[in-house]
């Protein structure tokens, strides 16, 4: 490698990066290095180049929330795989918009990690460009990030399972409690989970009624408020589909306080199969959260081993029928 | 430092620890090292010793659970402080007994971090000795680890607040749902939270009745089972104190299923003020979880800056009275 670098007139680091197809090496430089390598019959071993390139043995995991069940469970899944592979996890929390700007501006993980995992958050174009300047593999889990290999559920299909269940039970007036991320309140409510509701109603020949859709920040207490708004309608729904179980728990509290019975007076369905959903006897669409972290970790190990990435893995969701849904009485 | 260690007849690590006022250096050893240092006119500069030790800019955070709210919230607190100080977080999950043995045996964080934070778990003697061979500062959060500077609640005092509340309401037959860690089922149920129950009853002149104490692995569904066992007694309690809110949620489910009213037929009190406790209208003893992580982070920054450590900080807990407790009807 030293001979190659000398002959090409570049540093060892540049020669190494050029030979390992590292992005962000100028084309002319790369050509000069490759020519020198050919003249010297230098053989590139991916394993050796990884070692020579100074693999850090660390993976940066970027999360928008740590204490929320979904994100913590994804993190637990990915940590288990990386630990088994003797890779260390560097944890970066990008909470609110300011944190986030700062993270993508400073890129604190740069040169400290062999790869980046983005957990449960969309990545905007400008952010993507910044991430890519790190020149390492990037994988997403718990959300479709089209630009990178990802592991995710199909949000639209999960939502469709929830709403189709209510339609099958013969509900015709179905409310939706949609959620936005409190840290990013100006982003649209989960588009897949909202769109599927519109489509399912349209497919069933039901009119769209905007008064049946309430959008709130994520969280159980907001779910309670949203349910109160639906109960304040002249003609409330007979069933409610919530974007997540945690929001559905809040809706259930409001119904109980109002003296309404579940499912006799109102059906409620969520998405996730949160650990409390079984306890609350909540019908929901289950997603395998820990598994998404595990699969993303394995995907990352393949990439680090030089294998070609699949573009994305969609894990299946399934309806779990419990006691919170039944046909409408009226 | 090598000269000091040689003259004192100890290892470099011991000499370093003695000079940095690290706890757990025998007084005689410390005196010998200090004498050697004086003879050699060795000047200890905390900053230099940190640099000489090769500051990594990283802190290892060791957690027994990631996806459980309490641990994830502690982690979120400590991460925020370390991030603001431009320190990276290396996350290590020690789950079951095998993980745990492996972690303390291999010490994967050794030479990779400037300090170790142990979150919400007791550290046994043998484990402590292993940790200390890392030769870095150690701080504990979310649990009293007497050997290290810690931030914690006083478990006995929190438990006492819960049980005294039930006694004040005039309950005389009070059950306890005690919990053990499912990953460490052979460890005793949280000793502080159990002992305070015994003491409160004794102080109130009530006899100890072992049939009123049910011990289960941590978790809501286990709490549901435990409540069923209390309901199977010939004379069930009129109130139940649960070691944690998540366990209390399970107890509430069983009571509901049995058609019993809360608080009219049975009072329930937990500990934690879990985010769902407000929603469930559960009386509880609140502890500031995120703050414990934040305070531990600040404590660590002081130690890294060469300041002397306080031995421990106990954060206060407070009773939050909601709708799940009332005087007994009978």
């Amino acid at each position: 490698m030293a001979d190659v670098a000398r002959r090409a007139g570049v540093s060892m680091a540049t020669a190494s990066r050029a030979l390992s197809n590292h992005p962000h090496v100028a084309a002319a430089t790369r050509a000069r290095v490759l020519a020198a390598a050919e003249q010297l019959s230098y053989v590139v071993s991916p394993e050796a180049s990884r070692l020579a390139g100074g693999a850090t043995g660390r993976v940066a995991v970027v999360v928008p929330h740590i204490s929320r069940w979904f994100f913590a469970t994804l993190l637990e899944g990915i940590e288990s795989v990386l630990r088994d592979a003797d890779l260390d996890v560097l944890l970066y929390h990008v909470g609110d918009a300011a944190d986030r700007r700062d993270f993508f501006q400073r890129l604190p993980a740069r040169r400290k990690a062999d790869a980046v995992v983005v957990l449960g958050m969309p990545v905007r174009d400008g952010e993507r460009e910044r991430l890519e300047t790190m020149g390492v593999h990037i994988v997403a889990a718990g959300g479709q990030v089209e630009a990178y290999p990802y592991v995710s559920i199909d949000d639209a299909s999960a939502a469709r399972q929830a709403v189709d269940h209510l339609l099958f039970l013969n509900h015709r007036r179905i409310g939706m409690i949609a959620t936005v991320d409190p840290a990013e309140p100006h982003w649209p409510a989960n588009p897949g989970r909202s769109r599927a509701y519109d489509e399912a109603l349209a497919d069933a020949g039901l009119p769209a009624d905007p008064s049946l859709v309430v959008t709130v920040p994520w969280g159980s207490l907001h779910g309670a408020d949203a349910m109160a708004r639906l109960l304040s309608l002249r003609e409330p729904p007979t069933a409610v589909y919530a974007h997540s179980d945690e929001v559905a728990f809040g809706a259930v509290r409001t119904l109980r306080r109002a003296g309404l019975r579940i499912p006799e007076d109102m059906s409620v369905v969520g998405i996730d199969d949160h650990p409390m959903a079984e306890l609350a006897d909540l019908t929901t669409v289950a997603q395998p959260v820990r598994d998404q972290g595990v699969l993303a970790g394995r995907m990352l190990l393949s990439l680090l081993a030089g294998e070609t990435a699949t573009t994305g893995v969609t894990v299946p969701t399934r309806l779990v029928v419990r006691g919170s849904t039944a046909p409408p009485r009226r």
Side-chain angles (χ1 to χ4, degrees), chain A residues 71-94:
Chain A
F71 302 90
T73 305
L74 279 175
L75 178 59
E76 190 168 282
I78 201 149
E79 194 272 351
S80 72
V81 174
L82 298 178
R83 178 159 37 96
D84 284 350
D86 269 332
L87 289 166
D88 287 317
V89 170
L90 276 178
L91 180 66
Y92 295 96
H93 180 206
V94 297

Side-chain angles (χ1 to χ4, degrees), chain A residues 58-62 103 109 113-118 131 134 136-140 300:
Chain A
R58 291 187 291 268
V59 171
V61 179
V62 186
F103 177 82
D114 305 336
V116 175
V117 181
V118 179
L131 266 194
M134 289 177 64
V136 297
H137 290 296
I138 303 172
V139 164
L300 193 57

Side-chain angles (χ1 to χ4, degrees), chain A residues 81 137-140 148-152 292-305 307-314:
Chain A
V81 174
H137 290 296
I138 303 172
V139 164
Y148 310 116
Y150 67 82
V151 181
S152 170
Q292 291 175 64
V294 167
L295 289 171
R298 292 200 191 129
M299 192 180 266
L300 193 57
L301 295 182
S302 300
L303 286 169
L304 289 174
E307 291 162 28
T308 318
T310 51
T311 39
V313 171
T314 301

Side-chain angles (χ1 to χ4, degrees), chain A residues 42-64:
Chain A
Y42 181 88
V43 178
V44 186
S45 139
E47 191 48 36
S49 86
R50 187 188 156 206
L51 292 171
T56 61
R58 291 187 291 268
V59 171
V61 179
V62 186
V63 291

Side-chain angles (χ1 to χ4, degrees), chain A residues 1-9 15 19 32-44:
Chain A
M1 179 73 84
D3 295 335
V4 172
R6 204 162 25 237
R7 184 175 283 242
L19 290 169
R32 214 159 64 234
V33 171
L34 289 176
E38 202 175 45
Q39 284 156 21
L40 293 166
S41 307
Y42 181 88
V43 178
V44 186

Side-chain angles (χ1 to χ4, degrees), chain A residues 92-289:
Chain A
Y92 295 96
H93 180 206
V94 297
D96 58 18
D99 269 4
R100 194 163 170 137
R101 251 195 320 277
D102 181 66
F103 177 82
F104 287 103
Q105 205 42 55
R106 291 197 306 121
L107 290 179
R110 197 208 296 248
R111 280 188 288 274
K112 296 177 188 165
D114 305 336
V116 175
V117 181
V118 179
L119 287 189
M121 64 186 226
V123 176
R124 281 167 282 199
D125 285 351
E127 294 175 343
R128 199 176 65 209
E129 284 160 24
R130 292 292 304 157
L131 266 194
E132 284 169 0
T133 64
M134 289 177 64
V136 297
H137 290 296
I138 303 172
V139 164
Q144 270 175 262
V145 175
E146 301 291 356
Y148 310 116
Y150 67 82
V151 181
S152 170
I153 63 167
D154 179 333
D155 279 309
S157 141
R160 191 68 197 240
Q161 288 171 305
V163 181
D164 280 348
H165 172 58
L166 297 175
L167 288 166
F168 173 76
L169 291 174
N170 219 25
H171 288 279
R172 289 295 169 263
R173 203 163 163 73
I174 298 172
M176 172 165 75
I177 303 178
T179 56
V180 292
D181 189 326
E184 299 280 1
H186 305 299
W187 287 27
N190 189 314
R193 296 190 190 183
S194 290
R195 189 167 20 93
Y197 165 84
D198 297 336
E199 289 173 359
L201 296 194
D203 287 354
L206 295 172
D209 179 348
S211 74
L212 289 176
V213 176
V214 179
T215 301
V216 289
W218 178 90
S220 292
L221 293 173
H222 293 296
D225 293 344
M227 188 71 240
R229 274 163 65 187
L230 290 172
L231 289 181
S232 75
L233 294 177
R234 191 159 299 182
E235 191 189 348
T238 61
V240 169
Y241 146 61
H243 271 199
S244 86
D245 289 351
E246 278 148 305
V247 169
F249 297 148
V252 165
R253 203 262 305 251
T254 296
L255 292 168
R256 262 210 198 103
R257 284 204 174 165
L260 294 168
R261 288 163 309 156
I262 302 166
E264 293 85 349
D265 300 317
M266 183 84 69
S267 286
V268 179
V269 63
I271 291 185
D272 280 345
D273 204 18
H274 186 280
M276 295 282 194
E278 181 175 357
L279 204 73
D281 205 18
L282 180 74
T283 296
T284 189
V285 175
Q287 65 166 319
V289 181

